[in-house]
Amino acid sequence: MEDNIIILEDEAGNPVECEVIDVYDFNNNVYFAMIETTENAADEETDVIIMKLQKGESPDDDTLLMIEDEDELEAAFNEFVRRDNDDFE
């Protein structure tokens, strides 16, 4: 991960460049909060992408997973918002 940039693949297999804005432990999991980087990102509303880290046998085998469970995704997002708000207090 160079300069907090990760390249993900969308559903069609196209590369999507994302900036990691937070990595945090929550409920015994590690979550990544990211925003997609685009040429005109300043002109667009940016959605935060939350993904869960699945540990592999070595750090090179670690994988980021989409969160399928809506309750887990909501809880992980709420934790990100709480952490973000704490940074500004």
Side-chain angles (χ1 to χ4, degrees), residues 3 9-10 30 38 45 51 53 68 74 78-79 89:
D3 296 324
E9 286 187 5
D10 66 10
V30 176
T38 59
E45 185 173 319
M51 297 183 81
L53 182 69
E68 302 292 329
E74 183 177 353
N78 288 338
E79 176 64 9
E89 290 180 355

Side-chain angles (χ1 to χ4, degrees), residues 8 16 18 32-36 47-51 66 73:
L8 303 174
V16 177
C18 295
F32 279 59
M34 300 170 279
I35 55 172
E36 184 177 337
D47 291 329
V48 174
I49 302 165
I50 305 290
M51 297 183 81
M66 295 297 296
L73 180 58

Side-chain angles (χ1 to χ4, degrees), residues 60 65 68 72 74 80-81:
D60 289 340
L65 303 174
E68 302 292 329
E72 178 184 4
E74 183 177 353
F80 164 74
V81 170

